[in-house]
Amino acid sequence: MAAERICFSIAPGARQSHRLVCQPVPAEEEGAEGHGRLSRLEWSAVVLDERFIDLEVHVILQPQEEGAGQGLEWLQQKASGRTFQGAFVPAEHPRLKQVPAESIEAVIFEFDNSYSWFTAKDVELVVLRTDEEDGRSRPPPRPREFRPGSPLPLRRPGATAVGAAAADRAWESARAAPRLLPDASQPRESGAAEAAALFAGLGAVTAAAEAMQPPASEPSVPELLKSCAVLRAACAEGLQRALALGPP
């Protein structure tokens, strides 16, 4: 996947276009980095300073017959706005999936400021393209972020009976631990009480992680377990201090 950022300054009453080639371009061609045949395109355009502009997006098709003219397929009819977003996947397009891939020549972005006779427009266009020759699909989604109060993960399948039992006990302790964030609907507790809840919750979660007995063959596991142990020890120490402070 390759990203490109293009900035335009479009004079009053003017138009500006950007052409994105869909067919392979050899890297040795002068002034070209090289890319394969387009398999997916995503774009986002923003008009700076909260101004408006017209944008239309279309595909140019190579002639299907000798002597015929170029074809055109709209991806976005002319529309006025401050922000624009869209995506184009040739293999999934209702009409273009039926034409040969090599006939899809280019995607054209046409910005139109002809209706504005006094104001120039600054536009930023960002395109993300994925090519067939990349051999890669879209990047995998980011793992779900673990937030305080989120449901705890299930224990690892295939754990030993002893490890599974220990993990189950640790997860139950973690579920029973105070919430990491205070309930906004309830009166706020003292600072010491909130700190104690935080340390107790984190300590229970790190203990549960250690009890899962992850496979040591994973390169990051030993270092991660060391970090868990350090964090759990810090939580235990912090919990003792918070409990010693007590309510104000």
Side-chain angles (χ1 to χ4, degrees):
M1 177 178 288
E4 183 181 8
R5 177 174 173 266
I6 311 100
C7 297
F8 306 103
S9 184
I10 306 174
R15 298 167 65 98
Q16 178 82 43
S17 64
H18 177 71
R19 179 186 180 92
L20 190 144
V21 177
C22 298
Q23 297 304 312
V25 173
E28 61 270 15
E29 284 192 11
E30 185 177 356
E33 296 182 359
H35 55 73
R37 178 174 291 121
L38 180 72
S39 66
R40 181 181 181 87
L41 178 68
E42 299 177 66
W43 67 84
S44 174
V46 178
V47 188
L48 304 183
D49 300 323
E50 298 187 348
R51 300 189 184 279
F52 286 80
I53 203 166
D54 289 348
L55 171 64
E56 58 186 35
V57 186
H58 61 268
V59 174
I60 296 294
L61 302 173
Q62 296 177 358
Q64 298 295 301
E65 300 177 359
E66 186 176 353
Q70 289 182 323
L72 183 147
E73 180 70 21
W74 292 102
L75 298 181
Q76 176 185 302
Q77 296 279 357
K78 180 181 286 190
S80 180
R82 294 184 299 191
T83 61
F84 306 88
Q85 291 182 327
F88 170 51
V89 182
E92 298 176 3
H93 190 275
R95 178 171 177 267
L96 298 182
K97 67 181 180 181
Q98 303 174 15
V99 304
E102 58 272 15
S103 68
I104 302 176
E105 183 175 311
V107 177
I108 308 296
F109 298 86
E110 188 78 31
F111 295 92
D112 186 358
N113 194 35
S114 59
Y115 65 88
S116 178
W117 289 100
F118 303 102
T119 307
K121 307 291 173 62
D122 293 322
V123 180
E124 181 178 280
L125 172 66
V126 176
V127 294
L128 301 175
R129 70 174 293 156
T130 303
D131 298 327
E132 291 179 355
E133 283 72 9
D134 281 349
R136 299 186 297 270
S137 59
R138 300 185 66 188
R142 296 177 59 186
R144 188 181 66 177
E145 183 180 357
F146 184 79
R147 294 181 172 85
S150 298
L152 292 169
L154 297 177
R155 62 177 169 85
R156 179 174 59 86
T160 63
V162 174
D168 287 339
R169 290 194 301 272
W171 287 128
E172 289 304 319
S173 299
R175 290 188 179 95
R179 291 173 55 86
L180 298 184
L181 288 180
D183 188 345
S185 64
Q186 300 297 324
R188 291 292 298 269
E189 297 182 283
S190 68
E194 289 186 359
L198 175 64
F199 289 131
L202 282 176
V205 170
T206 52
E210 292 177 316
M212 288 180 70
Q213 298 183 348
S217 58
E218 293 290 335
S220 60
V221 165
E223 195 64 31
L224 183 60
L225 290 178
K226 288 181 183 178
S227 299
C228 281
V230 171
L231 178 58
R232 185 158 55 87
C235 288
E237 182 179 351
L239 178 59
Q240 292 297 325
R241 289 199 304 268
L243 292 177
L245 290 175

